[in-house]
Structures are given as structure tokens and as C-alpha cells.
Amino acid sequence: MRKFLAYFLTFWALAVVAVVGVAGLRGSTSRKPPLEFFSDMDHQPKLRPQTTAKFAGFADGMSSRLPVPGTVARGSAFEASEFNTGKKADGSFVDAMPVPVNAALVARGRERFAIYCAPCHGAAGDGNGVTTKFGMAAVAKFHDERIIKMGDGEIYNTIANGKNLMLPYGDKLDPQDRWAVVAYVRALQLSRLGKKEEIPDAVRATLK
Ligand code: HEC
């Protein structure tokens, strides 16, 4: 009986040492590196981004390339700006575009419009572009009163994000170009909103 007790206590003591040795210090932190028996892939040659590289970096000594010019940080003021979203802080569309309208902007808008909008909406915005001959149905007419009265921001938003059947064009037109196209859409609308009295007398006399 005594012999059994001695064996039992010895075994118990060894078991306690083993359990504490393996699991006892779990969770305690240490600044010393852990013992590594199989280091697996813990250690790999690497370069930290945007630092100088002593080896294998780029020719100018940098460890990585800088972001392309014009890169916008997430959460930046630009991201939420009226210029970028076409919306005010309260989420409603802006009435007037936040960029100065001049001849250069309208000319740029005309060029982009011819490439990206005219195939469906038609060169004059009548909703009769070439695609309508191939089954593209219900293309909006820019001369509808609803779209004339629409805020600039809502048209901008349709270009950036699409609407119903129309796919977005935000990947093809950057914010400045979207506003340029909005300016040109406005020019197309204005071209039919003129009054007879606005025609210079000399020209009006020649009209039939
Ligand atoms: C592939 C054909 C297609 C192209 C290209 C296209 N649109 Fe559209 N667009 C449509 C269709 C279809 C609708 C009608 C969407 C609906 O209400 O279902 C529409 C609707 C609109 C509307 C009215 C949205 C509303 O609030 O009712 C505007 C504004 C507009 N497009 C502007 C543009 C501009 C600007 C471009 C060029 C950047 C463009 N679209 C390019 C097919 C096109």
C-alpha cells in the first residue's frame, strides 16, 4: 500500500510539472522572442512600404512606388465633397455645379458626350441614339421638363452611378469630366429654351 502511494505521488508530481510546463505560462507576455523549434515561415526577407531600401528596392532607393498622382485617401474630405458626390452634406443633390462653367469646360463636355452619351441619348439629347435601332428602349430625352428642372447634382449622380436601366459611367469619366458633361447637357437643353425676343434684331429679320 505504501509503495503504491509513493508511485502515485511521484506520478502526480511529474504530471503537475508537465502540465504547468506546457500550459502554465500561456497568456503571459514577454518581450523576448519565443523559442523556435520549427520556424516555418516566421522569418522572411521583406521591405516595409515607403521607406528606403538597402537592397533589392527600386533604382531610386525606395522600397515601393509612391501612389499615382491624384490618389484619394479613404475618408478624406475630398471623398465626401460636393465636387465628388454631387450631393450636399444632408445627402440631397446640389442644384448648381460646384465648378466654374466656361467655354473650355463645355467643349470638353461636348467631346466626352459624343463618346459616352450620344450612342444612346443621341447627339442632340433626344433619346434617339444609334443603340435605339438595336433594341435599347426608353432612353431618357434631355429636353423633358423633368430633366430640365433636375438639379445639376442629380444628373452628375446618374453619370457617376447610373440609374435604372442606365449603367454607371463613373469608371470612364472622372469627377471633372462628369461636371463637364453636365455642363454640355445643360447647353443642349438651353439650345431649345431660347425665346424669339432673345435673337438679335438683325438676325431675326432674316428668319422666316
Ligand atoms: C447604353 C445606353 C446609354 C448610355 C451610353 C448613356 N445612357 Fe443615360 N440613360 C439610358 C437609359 C436607358 C436611360 C433611362 C433609364 C431609366 O429610367 O430606366 C437613361 C437615363 C439618363 C438620364 C435621366 C435619369 C433620370 O433621372 O431619369 C440622364 C440624365 C442620363 N441618362 C444621362 C446620361 C449621360 C450624361 C450619359 C453619358 C455620360 C449617358 N446618360 C449615357 C441609357 C444610356
Side-chain angles (χ1 to χ4, degrees):
M1 185 64 201
R2 220 182 242 182
K3 210 170 173 192
F4 171 78
L5 199 67
Y7 277 130
F8 178 79
L9 284 177
T10 313
F11 176 77
W12 179 253
L14 286 174
V16 167
V17 168
V19 168
V20 170
V22 172
L25 299 174
R26 284 202 152 225
S28 55
T29 52
S30 162
R31 294 194 64 80
K32 285 190 211 134
L35 294 177
E36 276 176 353
F37 300 105
F38 302 101
S39 69
D40 294 332
M41 289 162 72
D42 286 351
H43 300 282
Q44 300 172 37
K46 70 168 178 192
L47 300 172
R48 293 194 183 277
Q50 311 301 351
T51 54
T52 49
K54 293 201 187 65
F55 66 99
F58 288 93
D60 59 359
M62 294 284 289
S63 62
S64 62
R65 303 292 69 200
L66 291 170
V68 290
T71 301
V72 173
R74 283 193 181 273
S76 65
F78 174 86
E79 215 187 10
S81 66
E82 291 183 359
F83 176 72
N84 187 40
T85 64
K87 292 177 190 166
K88 295 179 221 159
D90 65 5
S92 62
F93 294 115
V94 298
D95 296 324
M97 61 178 80
V99 295
V101 180
N102 50 36
L105 188 81
V106 178
R108 173 75 180 171
R110 178 181 184 175
E111 188 209 20
R112 298 291 105 181
F113 183 93
I115 297 169
Y116 293 114
C117 318
C120 292
H121 288 280
D126 287 308
N128 60 356
V130 67
T131 55
T132 56
K133 295 202 182 73
F134 297 92
M136 173 61 76
V139 181
K141 299 174 187 59
F142 296 147
H143 304 284
D144 283 354
E145 201 182 343
R146 187 176 62 86
I147 298 179
I148 292 172
K149 289 196 172 142
M150 194 175 268
D152 288 345
E154 189 164 359
I155 296 179
Y156 176 94
N157 184 64
T158 299
I159 299 172
N161 302 313
K163 179 153 179 187
N164 301 335
L165 280 176
M166 184 181 139
L167 292 175
Y169 282 81
D171 57 336
K172 298 171 183 68
L173 299 167
D174 65 19
Q176 180 69 23
D177 277 349
R178 294 172 211 159
W179 289 118
V181 171
V182 173
Y184 186 65
V185 168
R186 290 305 190 208
L188 285 179
Q189 292 173 337
L190 269 179
S191 72
R192 295 204 194 156
L193 294 173
K195 298 192 187 73
K196 209 164 72 182
E197 299 74 51
E198 290 169 351
I199 304 174
D201 288 341
V203 180
R204 207 181 329 158
T206 67
L207 295 177
K208 286 176 200 145

